[in-house]
Amino acid sequence: MTSYIIRRIGQIVLVLFVVSVLIFSLLQLAPGDPATVLAGPGTSLEELEAIRQDLGLNKPIHMQYLTFVKKLFNGTLKSYAYKQPVISIIAERFPASLELGLFAVILATIVSIPAGIISAIWQDSPADYTVTTVALLGISTPVFWTALMLMLLLSIQLDALPVSGRGATLWGFSIFTLDGLRHIVIPMLALSSVQMAMNTRLTRSSMLEVLREDYITTARSKGLKESVVILGHAFRNAVLPVMTNVGMMVGTIVAGAVLTETTTAWPGLGRLMISSINRRDFAVIFALTLLMSFGYVLSYLIVDILYAYADPRITYD
Amino acid sequence: MTEEAKLQRKRKKLSRLTFILSLIFPGLGHFNERKVKAGILLSSFATVQIVVLIVGLFNNRMAWFGGALDHVIATWASVLFILSFWVLSYVGIRRSFLKQESGGYWTRAARGFMRHKKGLVGAFIVVLVVWGALFAPIVAPYKPLKMDLMHTVTGPGGGGHPLGTDNFGRDILSRIIYGSRVALGVGGGATLLNMVFGGLLGLLGGYYKGIIDSSLMRFLEVLNSIPYIIFALLILSVFGAGVMQIIIVLGIYGLQAARIIRSEVLSVREEDYIMACEATGAGDFRKLFNHIFPNSMASLLVVTTMRIGINIIVVAGLSFLGFGVKPPTPSWGAMLQSAQSYMTVAWWMAVFPGLAIVLTVFGFNLLGDSLRDVLDPKMSASGR
């Protein structure tokens, strides 16, 4: 197991390296000179040259890449637009994305697993039809439109919730204040609707597969209570794919919810990404993309490791 | 003359009448055979299409030659459709006389699909949307860019605009209908790239294993570690936004399809019939394209249908963020983007384009789900 984890970590480092090279070369191809963007209009040539020197823009490309990465890791890589270290900008926005993503995943998991189980055990019943249709509608609906509709309904028509923004925060999180809680409802519902739909479909199909197995019939014929059969025997075996999906949803938290955050003006990492792309803030784009990739690959690894613990049949050598 | 021979003659006579009827107008032959449902469907579709063609030609929204390209395309497409209804009705009748009960895998699948209510609903939605996109010039009440300055930001029904107008006084319904072209064109084009290249890579990777396979998997791993929308945004911001760029970007990202095809090929190639085929001296090419590919077709088809839905949503998302198709070209995502600034005064600007996306994607997803039920007996047994 240990050797497997070490090998996987090696792979992760390799993947992140390729991603960083990819993103860096992509940014090199982008039109516009970062120094002029950073300096703003009306800067003298000497000042521009000084900035280039500082960023290492007048060195060969591979040296530039190395300085970029080095500066990123010792925390001195500065955003072109904010003139602050990238690390602190990301750290400032991260709590917003974290709480939004985490609560969306939790809500999605709480709703989707019972819904999926119910629709699997009463297959082809009206309840099943309702659940599958709603879930299919859920995966067919763009998340930003869901957000728009919630804003239209809850904020504009009913005037029950604030339209957008994050509201008051305490210790960097808005869930600790009433105002913040009122603000998080819409983005959280929108973001979790898609995850909910996907996870419901997955739970249902995975349950259906297990319910057909012989050991379920055996369990029933032993006279076990139906609830024990469903939860103890069937669900425990059906939970693996569902767990994978939840793990991946957690991994996407770091990526921020680009569309949801943009629509509801939620000041998280996704929105930072969009504004950085619009401003050609290469340093922030570079750091953010790496962070997001890291979140993805790390969640894959954790899911794989959890797999081995949850299912004794799975061994990694 | 025996009883049986008499019956046979009677049947022959009847069948001649049926054939003649089905050649006169699509669906008439089916009525003669008491297949009322199919008859109504065929004849009404043919009638609608003929009416569309005639009306379109008369009010200059369609043209045989010359004129706007989409008018010419609409004309010839409707001619093609009408002819194909004739062929369909004739072939359908012939089939029913030949009385094939079992048929091959695809025939049986098609028959299963015709009994699958969900799938038919999905197919109907998809056909409707594609039809609307193709015949947009005649179906849409206004031109998509025409500004009715007397009725800017007018609610549904006002000023002769069934779904209202936007801030420039442009008809929402017409823009939605024309917007389906962008959604289907870009979403469909990207999906086509996904499937052709993803399918090919998956086939090769799954079949040859070794270095091809492992480099493919590493490549997909790298792709997979960058969020879809971020990947698209980065490339679009570097190379500029536009229809071709979006198709290519989504085409590359969707190579993920290779993964599914690969795993399918990995299991198919271990089947006994592939070994049998090898024993007869078949080469790689023959094994791959005559035997393994057709046996992986079903999952490719399912993946494609589901993928179109995803791609349509992503295209809309990119346009919504301002990285998609440039205005004033009507696209659903861009319509929603401009609707955002008018949320408090014009709900219709935000509601209807979104409904169009949901309906279209829902149609494709229904179709995909049902295809999976019908095409894959293993999966449908588990009710997926």
Side-chain angles (χ1 to χ4, degrees):
Chain A
M1 192 66 184
T2 325
S3 71
Y4 170 76
I5 295 177
I6 293 173
R7 212 170 61 226
R8 278 294 297 269
I9 290 177
Q11 268 176 16
I12 287 182
V13 173
L14 195 68
V15 166
L16 288 181
F17 170 70
V18 176
V19 169
S20 72
V21 171
L22 208 75
I23 302 299
F24 188 78
S25 24
L26 207 61
L27 294 178
Q28 293 303 312
L29 290 172
D33 171 19
T36 30
V37 178
L38 180 56
T43 323
S44 70
L45 279 175
E46 287 81 38
E47 278 174 291
L48 271 181
E49 197 48 48
I51 293 169
R52 285 208 186 93
Q53 201 84 43
D54 181 47
L55 288 174
L57 290 179
N58 42 13
K59 289 192 200 123
I61 261 190
H62 62 277
M63 290 305 291
Q64 280 187 43
Y65 171 77
L66 287 179
T67 19
F68 229 74
V69 174
K70 212 170 87 191
K71 281 189 158 190
L72 178 67
F73 278 107
N74 62 27
T76 53
L77 186 66
K78 274 192 180 160
S79 151
Y80 298 175
Y82 294 94
K83 324 257 154 105
Q84 280 172 26
V86 171
I87 304 285
S88 66
I89 297 173
I90 291 179
E92 192 185 307
R93 306 290 189 105
F94 186 64
S97 277
L98 182 69
E99 61 182 356
L100 175 61
L102 209 58
F103 277 88
V105 171
I106 292 173
L107 179 69
T109 313
I110 292 176
V111 176
S112 65
I113 289 183
I117 293 178
I118 286 171
S119 112
I121 41 182
W122 290 305
Q123 199 191 352
D124 295 327
S125 70
D128 179 31
Y129 276 118
T130 317
V131 169
T132 45
T133 311
V134 171
L136 198 66
L137 271 175
I139 62 164
S140 311
T141 312
V143 60
F144 58 94
W145 190 65
T146 316
L148 282 181
M149 288 302 102
L150 288 172
M151 284 155 81
L152 201 56
L153 186 72
L154 297 177
S155 313
I156 297 172
Q157 295 294 323
L158 300 177
D159 206 15
L161 293 169
V163 182
S164 59
R166 194 167 173 226
T169 54
L170 187 64
W171 304 313
F173 289 94
S174 58
I175 45 161
F176 296 130
T177 66
L178 192 65
D179 184 47
L181 273 180
R182 279 163 48 86
H183 278 86
I184 206 176
V185 173
I186 288 178
M188 183 186 72
L189 284 180
L191 184 58
S192 101
S193 65
V194 178
Q195 299 170 339
M196 212 183 278
M198 287 201 321
N199 212 45
T200 305
R201 283 165 58 90
L202 197 70
T203 311
R204 176 177 183 270
S205 64
S206 155
M207 273 299 277
L208 280 177
E209 214 160 282
V210 171
L211 282 174
R212 262 158 229 283
E213 297 282 348
D214 287 341
Y215 56 77
I216 298 298
T217 322
T218 313
R220 284 202 176 115
S221 62
K222 280 196 303 193
L224 287 179
K225 265 196 290 185
E226 187 64 14
S227 60
V228 177
V229 176
I230 298 294
L231 294 175
H233 290 70
F235 182 66
R236 274 190 68 167
N237 285 291
V239 81
L240 273 181
V242 180
M243 211 173 69
T244 315
N245 196 40
V246 174
M248 301 222 193
M249 292 193 302
V250 174
T252 61
I253 290 178
V254 190
V258 174
L259 284 160
T260 316
E261 288 179 8
T262 315
T263 315
T264 57
W266 187 261
L269 295 180
R271 199 150 162 259
L272 177 65
M273 187 70 173
I274 296 290
S275 61
S276 304
I277 288 177
N278 281 329
R279 290 189 195 121
R280 307 211 167 286
D281 196 339
F282 293 164
V284 177
I285 299 175
F286 186 73
L288 264 183
T289 317
L290 270 185
L291 181 69
M292 291 169 178
S293 301
F294 182 64
Y296 268 42
V297 286
L298 194 68
S299 67
Y300 296 153
L301 174 65
I302 292 174
V303 163
D304 281 348
I305 293 172
L306 284 181
Y307 246 80
Y309 279 106
D311 188 345
R313 283 169 302 183
I314 297 174
T315 50
Y316 301 112
D317 44 287
Chain B
M1 202 185 283
T2 59
E3 200 70 5
E4 204 174 308
K6 257 188 201 166
L7 249 169
Q8 197 100 34
R9 257 184 71 187
K10 204 175 166 191
R11 180 126 196 92
K12 224 175 184 175
K13 229 180 181 173
L14 250 179
S15 74
R16 200 171 297 147
L17 180 62
T18 305
F19 277 129
I20 292 171
L21 278 175
S22 77
L23 281 177
I24 292 174
F25 197 79
L28 285 189
H30 285 76
F31 284 121
N32 197 42
E33 289 293 305
R34 304 238 156 73
K35 292 183 169 168
V36 182
K37 255 197 235 162
I40 291 175
L41 270 182
L42 275 168
S43 54
S44 57
F45 280 172
T47 315
V48 168
Q49 196 62 57
I50 291 172
V51 169
V52 162
L53 180 64
I54 294 172
V55 172
L57 284 172
F58 265 101
N59 61 17
N60 289 324
R61 288 194 178 168
M62 281 183 171
W64 293 109
F65 309 103
L69 184 65
D70 60 344
H71 291 197
V72 178
I73 291 175
T75 310
W76 289 104
S78 43
V79 170
L80 197 77
F81 278 20
I82 294 165
L83 284 180
S84 65
F85 283 130
W86 246 280
V87 173
L88 253 172
S89 110
Y90 184 75
V91 170
I93 283 296
R94 246 182 79 105
R95 274 245 158 142
S96 71
F97 276 103
L98 291 177
K99 281 263 178 251
Q100 298 166 306
E101 251 323 304
S102 52
Y105 172 72
W106 293 102
T107 325
R108 265 181 295 135
R111 211 172 291 141
F113 186 77
M114 293 311 277
R115 280 195 293 266
H116 204 290
K117 235 184 249 159
K118 255 171 45 180
L120 289 180
V121 173
F124 178 75
I125 296 175
V126 169
V127 167
L128 190 74
V129 175
V130 173
W131 194 81
L134 209 51
F135 299 106
I138 177 156
V139 183
Y142 298 89
K143 291 228 165 69
L145 301 181
K146 188 172 185 305
M147 298 184 206
D148 183 355
L149 294 175
M150 300 291 287
H151 297 102
T152 54
V153 203
T154 306
H161 299 282
L163 300 184
T165 62
D166 64 4
N167 48 323
F168 290 109
R170 296 176 299 196
D171 185 56
I172 303 264
L173 176 63
S174 305
R175 286 179 71 73
I176 288 178
I177 293 173
Y178 273 91
S180 65
R181 294 181 160 188
V182 170
L184 292 177
V186 179
T191 312
L192 197 69
L193 282 185
N194 295 165
M195 289 310 130
V196 173
F197 291 105
L200 210 60
L201 285 177
L203 269 179
L204 295 179
Y207 183 74
Y208 288 106
K209 298 184 178 170
I211 183 108
I212 300 181
D213 190 33
S214 55
S215 47
L216 170 72
M217 290 317 280
R218 289 294 91 77
F219 170 70
L220 291 181
E221 221 162 81
V222 170
L223 263 192
N224 206 19
S225 70
I226 308 175
Y228 199 166
I229 202 109
I230 303 288
F231 177 80
L233 284 175
L234 280 176
I235 296 201
L236 289 177
S237 69
V238 171
F239 295 103
V243 173
M244 276 331 276
Q245 284 94 325
I246 301 179
I247 292 181
I248 292 172
V249 168
L250 300 192
I252 295 173
Y253 199 87
L255 286 182
Q256 307 284 356
R259 213 184 276 268
I260 295 156
I261 305 306
R262 173 182 170 272
S263 65
E264 181 78 19
V265 172
L266 276 180
S267 72
V268 169
R269 79 191 291 271
E270 302 302 327
E271 297 278 350
D272 287 342
Y273 56 80
I274 299 298
M275 209 201 280
C277 167
E278 203 174 323
T280 62
D284 280 350
F285 188 82
R286 180 162 180 171
K287 265 192 292 177
L288 254 179
F289 289 97
N290 284 2
H291 298 276
I292 296 180
F293 179 63
N295 282 299
S296 326
M297 254 315 262
S299 53
L300 189 65
L301 198 64
V302 173
V303 176
T304 309
T305 329
M306 301 296 265
R307 193 85 216 169
I308 294 180
I310 298 175
N311 280 337
I312 289 176
I313 288 187
V314 174
V315 169
L318 289 173
S319 307
F320 179 76
L321 291 173
F323 286 86
V325 182
K326 286 273 170 266
T329 311
S331 77
W332 296 339
M335 288 173 79
L336 287 174
Q337 187 197 23
S338 61
Q340 225 184 340
S341 340
Y342 294 87
M343 283 279 283
T344 44
V345 286
W347 55 268
W348 54 90
M349 282 175 69
V351 171
F352 296 121
L355 281 180
I357 302 176
V358 175
L359 182 76
T360 309
V361 178
F362 185 67
F364 276 109
N365 283 340
L366 260 185
L367 190 61
D369 263 10
S370 317
L371 281 178
R372 179 158 51 191
D373 286 352
V374 172
L375 292 179
D376 198 332
K378 274 175 298 184
M379 283 183 177
S380 67
S382 67
R384 270 204 264 199

